[in-house]
Every structure is written in C-alpha cells, then in structure tokens.
Amino acid sequence: MSSRELAGEFWVDLRTRPFMRAQLGLGIALAEKDQLAKAVPHFQELLALDPDDHLDVRSLLLPALLELERDLDAAKLLKTSDKDTATWAYGRALLAFRLSGNSEAARRELRRAFENNSYVAEILVRKNQQRSSALGATGSLDEAVDCSERLRYAYAKTDGALPWLAEEEERWCAQQS
C-alpha cells in the first residue's frame, strides 16, 4: 500500500511507525536548530497521515505556527482538536490577544488558561528557568515548564503579550485569594 492509500490511518499499519517517528524526529531536530519554517511541513504531513495524532504533533505544531506568526494556520489548527493541555490553552489565549488585543475574548481565553495551569504564566512572566521532564500531568508544574518552553518565544515576539499576561495574572491571583 502507498502512503496515499493509508493517509488518515497511517498509524494503524505498524510498518509505518518507524517512518512516522523518523519524520517527527526530523521536525523536532529542525525546530531545535531554529529552523521552524522547515519543521512545520514535517509536522503538517504527520497530521495529514495520522489525524488522530498519536504522536501529539499538534503540541509541537501550534507553538511553531505561533512563533512564525502564522496566526491563520494556528487558528485552523486550534479548530481541529479540543485538547485540554496548557500548551493548547495558552496558545489559544495568545492567538486571541494577537487577533483582538486586550479584549474580553482574549481575557476569557487567558482565564481558561490560568484555570488549566496557573504555573505557566508565572514561569513566562518571571522567566523562571526550571527544567521539565515533559511528563507532567495536566495542571502540574512539569506541564507548565514544558508549555512555557514551547510558547516562550511566541509570547516574547508578540508586542505587549508578556505585560498583558503579567497584569492579567496579577488580577486573577487577587481574585483567587
């Protein structure tokens, strides 16, 4: 069978998994070498072959798209899944801020992100350099460190995003106490 015949069900055929893992590794290596524009097509191809995303490629693709300021592509990607991760929540909040500034819609997305994992904002705002095992559960410090590592540059590249995040975090913390 060809890859086109297996598209959408690629992961089901065990013979394809080494290819998929190699493709993922190449995408990650390119991203780590600051070649995001070259990494993105590899991630996108993996999603086309395996829309169920068994390798969690969406969590790598979203930060890459945001860092590259490909907001339309990021918005389309966000519509493909209702993931409940910190990366997804803070990515959605950043995109809302980019599209509408300090609007009610952006603040609503950011509050959802705080509720998902409040550690992320603290790490991004204070540039806390904690290391992550990347195996943390939803809402955990490990998840927050992983998320902040993935989204740090996208937030930093967005004019006003970090001060907005700091101000909203302060307001949210005051309401929680």
Side-chain angles (χ1 to χ4, degrees):
M1 278 191 188
S2 72
S3 62
R4 289 185 183 187
E5 292 171 332
L6 288 172
E9 297 181 15
F10 218 65
W11 187 256
V12 176
D13 188 335
L14 297 179
R15 297 171 298 171
T16 68
R17 291 187 185 180
F19 167 79
M20 293 188 73
R21 289 185 180 111
Q23 184 89 340
L24 177 64
L26 178 57
I28 290 171
L30 288 166
E32 288 176 350
K33 295 290 183 187
D34 293 327
Q35 296 184 31
L36 287 178
K38 291 182 180 179
V40 164
H42 294 283
F43 298 148
Q44 290 172 321
E45 181 180 353
L46 283 168
L47 281 177
L49 294 172
D50 178 28
D52 290 336
D53 196 15
H54 290 92
L55 295 173
D56 196 27
V57 174
R58 282 180 178 90
S59 293
L60 300 170
L61 181 56
L62 179 63
L65 292 172
L66 290 169
E67 188 171 335
L68 292 169
E69 299 179 17
R70 292 177 50 182
D71 294 347
L72 181 58
D73 291 330
K76 288 178 184 176
L77 180 65
L78 283 165
K79 290 180 181 180
T80 67
S81 174
D82 60 351
K83 293 174 77 78
D84 188 29
T85 65
T87 299
W88 219 243
Y90 281 86
R92 192 179 306 277
L94 178 60
L95 183 60
F97 177 78
R98 284 183 177 176
L99 296 177
S100 63
N102 187 7
S103 65
E104 181 53 40
R107 289 189 301 274
R108 183 175 48 252
E109 290 296 341
L110 192 55
R111 283 190 300 271
R112 288 181 186 148
F114 292 155
E115 290 167 3
N116 180 287
N117 191 319
S118 61
Y119 296 117
V120 176
E122 181 178 345
I123 294 169
L124 284 171
V125 168
R126 290 165 189 76
K127 297 179 178 70
N128 228 340
Q129 294 293 325
Q130 301 179 30
R131 296 304 308 155
S132 170
S133 66
L135 299 175
T138 300
S140 71
L141 181 57
D142 277 345
E143 181 199 35
V145 171
D146 181 60
C147 172
S148 65
E149 287 172 356
R150 291 178 188 212
L151 290 173
R152 177 178 313 283
Y153 297 110
Y155 268 86
K157 284 179 85 170
T158 304
D159 286 338
L162 288 172
W164 171 69
L165 180 62
E167 182 179 311
E168 292 301 317
E169 180 210 16
E170 189 175 308
R171 182 175 294 127
W172 187 77
C173 288
Q175 291 173 349
Q176 300 307 304
S177 45

